Amino acid sequence: MAPSDAVPLPKKILLFGATGVIGKYILDALVSAKSDFEKIGIFTSPSTAEKKKHDIDSLKAKGVEVVVGDVNNEADVVKAYEGYDTVISALGRNVILTQISLLKLAESSPTITHFYPSEYGTDIEYSPHSAHEKPHQLKLQVRKYIRENIKKLNVTYLVTGPYSDLYIGKMRGDDERAGSFDAKAKKAVLLGTGEDKVSFTTMKDVGRLLVAALKTPVTESPRTLKVNSFTTTPNEIAAEYEKQTGSKWDVSYTSLDELRTLEKDAWESGNPLATVYTLRRIWTEGGTLYDMRDNWRIGEPEMETLNDQVKMALEKEIPGF
């Protein structure tokens, strides 16, 4: 579908999943750019509104409209859409299919013209093999629904690749063989050969990139923007840690073959790290690399660097560093 050039830029933004892992960064970026928009709102559940009352009150003080309702209740969603022209979804992996209902209602809404599904992360249509990757299946169902049913909405997929904040640091959980940078122990476990390139996006930059996309006219729908902050290798990350700590680190490697074995065993045993192994294997295989990124299509916003991310990780891991 090719939308009309007359479609206005988004001005009234409604965000779902605003208190989630990436939603917080998207909301921060929206609030920082609030002068570019007429209205910014979030949709949240009654329980979240109650549990996070202090945060909600803080958002209201910043001029954010808070719409309380049940995301699974069509009447609540239809009511929430009134007065907005753009929906941004930052819903998490476990509720990703909820977007199908949100899309259906947005398509029939008299006011909603733009929709940004929760696509931040690994490219789920990077290659023909992507269709078979287990972590991609729910997002692929959403894209299938969009292809078959969405005619009016202007849909943008913001594909960011992995979040560097969750990669550049100590592996949380039981198995550092999935890749880890332990600042206190000055120990790193690197994936692949250490020279395999990966394109990362910082969580803060996800918000910046999304705001930049909102401010750029849509010329086709669905529009896919493959964006990132920087491209690096595990060896370069380890070297940056050594540079900033002024110390030599103990470095070991998990080969791609070993990573594939860990992945297979994790899925067979029901290990919750299975998704992590699969995604990190995809990244190590090159599944985040493109001939050209799309940052230029949305004005080439300034991005954070590897230096910034390692510095932040060290400050988090070693208070007062």
Side-chain angles (χ1 to χ4, degrees):
M1 176 181 79
S4 168
D5 291 338
V7 175
L9 287 174
K11 287 297 181 183
K12 300 173 183 178
I13 317 297
L14 181 63
L15 174 62
F16 287 77
T19 60
V21 173
I22 198 61
K24 293 179 289 187
Y25 290 89
I26 291 173
L27 182 56
D28 284 347
L30 288 169
V31 171
S32 295
K34 64 182 179 181
S35 61
D36 293 311
F37 306 106
E38 294 177 16
K39 181 165 67 169
I40 297 169
I42 68 168
F43 185 98
T44 193
S45 68
S47 60
T48 299
E50 183 178 345
K51 291 176 185 176
K52 300 185 177 181
K53 186 178 184 304
H54 175 75
D55 295 336
I56 295 298
D57 289 343
S58 176
L59 289 174
K60 289 179 179 178
K62 295 176 182 178
V64 176
E65 181 178 283
V66 177
V67 182
V68 179
D70 180 356
V71 72
N72 295 307
N73 183 306
E74 289 194 2
D76 286 357
V77 174
V78 169
K79 181 67 176 175
Y81 282 174
E82 294 177 3
Y84 289 94
D85 57 40
T86 300
V87 173
I88 297 173
S89 170
L91 295 178
R93 187 178 295 275
N94 60 325
V95 290
I96 213 74
L97 289 184
T98 303
Q99 294 182 115
I100 290 177
S101 175
L102 295 181
L103 282 156
K104 174 186 173 185
L105 297 174
E107 177 75 358
S108 60
S109 166
T111 63
I112 303 297
T113 56
H114 298 268
F115 198 107
Y116 285 69
S118 187
E119 282 281 338
Y120 330 103
T122 305
D123 188 347
I124 61 171
E125 292 185 339
Y126 183 84
S127 70
H129 188 70
S130 300
H132 308 291
E133 300 289 7
K134 292 181 181 179
H136 296 351
Q137 296 309 305
L138 298 183
K139 284 187 178 180
L140 286 170
Q141 287 185 49
V142 175
R143 283 207 185 187
K144 181 176 185 291
Y145 180 85
I146 290 170
R147 278 194 297 269
E148 295 177 355
N149 299 278
I150 299 304
K151 310 300 180 185
K152 174 178 74 75
L153 287 174
N154 295 275
V155 175
T156 296
Y157 303 129
L158 191 75
V159 179
T160 67
Y163 306 144
S164 51
D165 310 58
L166 303 183
Y167 186 98
I168 298 175
K170 184 178 179 181
M171 168 58 73
R172 310 297 179 187
D174 300 328
D175 201 342
E176 64 181 16
R177 292 176 297 175
S180 182
F181 299 88
D182 187 338
K184 290 183 179 178
K186 293 184 173 59
K187 176 182 177 184
V189 180
L190 311 185
L191 300 180
T193 65
E195 290 298 321
D196 305 290
K197 292 183 177 181
V198 183
S199 291
F200 293 99
T201 306
T202 75
M203 292 172 134
K204 187 174 183 178
D205 282 347
V206 171
R208 287 174 174 165
L209 288 159
L210 191 137
V211 167
L214 289 168
K215 293 160 65 176
T216 305
V218 175
T219 57
E220 77 280 346
S221 181
R223 172 178 63 163
T224 301
L225 298 172
K226 298 170 182 177
V227 294
N228 58 65
S229 298
F230 56 84
T231 300
T232 189
T233 67
N235 281 343
E236 289 171 345
I237 298 172
E240 184 63 31
Y241 267 109
E242 290 184 337
K243 177 183 176 182
Q244 292 197 29
T245 58
S247 304
K248 188 69 177 174
W249 280 39
D250 175 14
V251 176
S252 60
Y253 296 83
T254 298
S255 71
L256 195 47
D257 283 343
E258 183 181 358
L259 187 59
R260 291 182 181 121
T261 299
L262 291 167
E263 175 191 6
K264 179 176 179 292
D265 292 345
W267 283 108
E268 290 177 350
S269 65
N271 186 331
L273 278 177
T275 294
V276 174
Y277 285 128
T278 295
L279 294 176
R280 294 194 171 203
R281 184 260 301 160
I282 291 170
W283 307 340
T284 305
E285 289 176 337
T288 68
L289 306 178
Y290 305 96
D291 292 336
M292 181 182 293
R293 67 182 186 178
D294 290 327
N295 295 43
W296 66 273
R297 294 177 61 191
I298 52 175
E300 203 71 67
E302 184 178 353
M303 296 286 94
E304 292 188 288
T305 66
L306 172 60
N307 176 288
D308 297 329
Q309 283 288 278
V310 170
K311 182 175 183 292
M312 185 177 71
L314 285 168
E315 291 171 347
K316 185 189 302 181
E317 295 291 330
I318 306 175
F321 178 84

